[in-house]
């Protein structure tokens, strides 16, 4: 009799644990599904978003804009060749890097001055500048292009002038997909001067404290 009772008790415990496990799995699956739905809704809300300026917020939209817009603005008249098939032009990257450094790290400058022309110039420690050189783009040459360096009290600094940029182009997100921390964004560029449009695709990596350019598929010759 005792053996029968023990067996029945064991069966009851097993069924209880199985039920609890099933309930926990269902709850976990539901939570994961809700998170996936929210993530997809966030991506869908980006479609049609105009990219311009440098928003200071921390939403996905703001972070993508800060990453994409500098490249779009500076490369729009050059065919978007930088980072296309790992293409690398030192001057193009220097221009982009300086823009991004002033956008993301203006407050980290060792000092700032105003040139006689009225142009603001920010000075960054050479070692820090070289770190940023490697951090903002994947698959760039290990050798850093020749830097314009100024020495003050034995320390080396890289001057970064603040530039003004005219722009007759507008940029809008057409599509966006994510895989982990990588985002592939389809973008439409329209030109107000000649009423033309172009499509390109950019893949970037977003991290909690920054971003990195991975690749670009530029418009084809027929676009």
């Amino acid at each position: 009799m005792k053996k029968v009772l023990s067996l029945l008790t064991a069966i009851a415990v097993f069924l209880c644990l199985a039920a609890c496990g099933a309930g926990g799995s269902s709850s976990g699956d539901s939570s994961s599904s809700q998170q996936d739905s929210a993530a997809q809704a966030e991506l869908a809300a980006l479609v049609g978003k105009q990219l311009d300026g440098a928003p200071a917020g921390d939403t996905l939209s703001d972070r993508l804009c800060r990453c994409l817009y500098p490249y779009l603005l500076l490369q729009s008249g050059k065919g978007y060749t930088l980072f296309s098939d790992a293409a690398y032009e030192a001057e193009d990257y220097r221009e982009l890097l300086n823009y991004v450094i002033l956008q993301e790290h203006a407050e980290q400058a060792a000092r700032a001055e105003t040139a006689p022309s009225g142009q603001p110039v920010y000075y960054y420690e050479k070692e820090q500048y070289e770190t940023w050189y490697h951090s903002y783009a994947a698959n760039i040459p290990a050798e850093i292009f020749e830097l314009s360096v100024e020495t003050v009290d034995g320390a080396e600094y890289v001057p970064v002038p603040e530039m003004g940029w005219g722009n007759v182009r507008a940029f809008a997100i057409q599509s966006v997909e994510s895989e982990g921390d990588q985002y592939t964004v389809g973008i439409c560029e329209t030109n107000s001067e000649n009423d033309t449009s172009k499509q390109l695709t950019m893949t970037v990596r977003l991290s909690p404290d920054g971003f990195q350019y991975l690749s670009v598929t530029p418009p084809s010759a027929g676009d």
Side-chain angles (χ1 to χ4, degrees):
M1 187 60 152
K2 290 182 178 180
K3 291 183 178 180
V4 174
L5 289 175
S6 298
L7 180 59
L8 291 175
T9 301
I11 293 174
V13 170
F14 174 78
L15 292 175
C16 181
L17 290 175
C20 290
S25 175
S26 176
S27 176
D29 291 346
S30 176
S31 176
S32 176
S33 177
Q34 290 176 353
Q35 291 176 354
D36 289 344
S37 296
Q40 289 302 316
E42 187 177 25
L43 293 180
L46 293 173
V47 176
K49 166 78 176 176
Q50 293 289 322
L51 299 166
D52 54 23
D58 196 41
T59 66
L60 177 58
S61 175
D62 293 334
R63 294 165 66 203
L64 277 175
C65 191
R66 288 202 304 272
C67 176
L68 299 173
Y69 186 71
Y71 179 94
L72 295 168
L73 176 65
L74 300 180
Q75 278 283 301
S76 58
K78 301 178 181 181
Y80 301 107
T81 57
L82 185 61
F83 310 140
S84 169
D85 296 325
Y88 173 85
E89 293 292 337
E91 279 304 313
D92 284 351
Y93 187 52
R94 183 203 307 267
E95 186 178 61
L96 175 62
L97 184 58
N98 285 352
Y99 186 115
V100 170
I101 286 174
L102 291 184
Q103 172 185 277
E104 301 292 305
H105 309 287
E107 75 286 352
Q108 293 177 243
R111 72 180 198 278
E113 298 178 356
T114 301
S117 63
Q119 181 182 40
V121 182
Y122 296 79
Y123 293 82
Y124 292 91
E125 295 179 357
K126 182 172 180 286
E127 184 176 352
Q128 176 64 82
Y129 189 98
E130 291 176 345
T131 298
W132 286 327
Y133 169 93
H134 290 292
S135 69
Y136 277 106
N139 305 317
I140 60 173
E143 182 179 355
I144 296 178
F145 50 70
E146 184 177 349
L147 296 175
S148 173
V149 176
E150 294 187 17
T151 302
V152 179
D153 296 330
E156 293 183 314
Y157 298 93
V158 178
V160 178
E162 186 176 88
M163 308 296 289
W165 306 100
N167 186 33
V168 296
R169 296 172 174 85
F171 312 100
I173 294 177
Q174 285 189 315
S175 63
V176 57
E177 298 177 355
S178 68
E179 183 175 346
D181 61 357
Q182 292 188 26
Y183 292 80
T184 299
V185 186
I187 300 162
C188 178
E189 172 219 299
T190 54
N191 190 319
S192 61
E193 285 191 332
N194 52 26
D195 196 30
T196 60
S197 65
K198 297 178 180 179
Q199 285 75 40
L200 68 147
T201 302
M202 294 182 65
T203 301
V204 297
R205 175 180 291 117
L206 300 184
S207 64
D209 58 354
F211 55 79
Q212 186 179 53
Y213 299 100
L214 300 181
S215 66
V216 175
T217 303
S220 65
D223 288 345

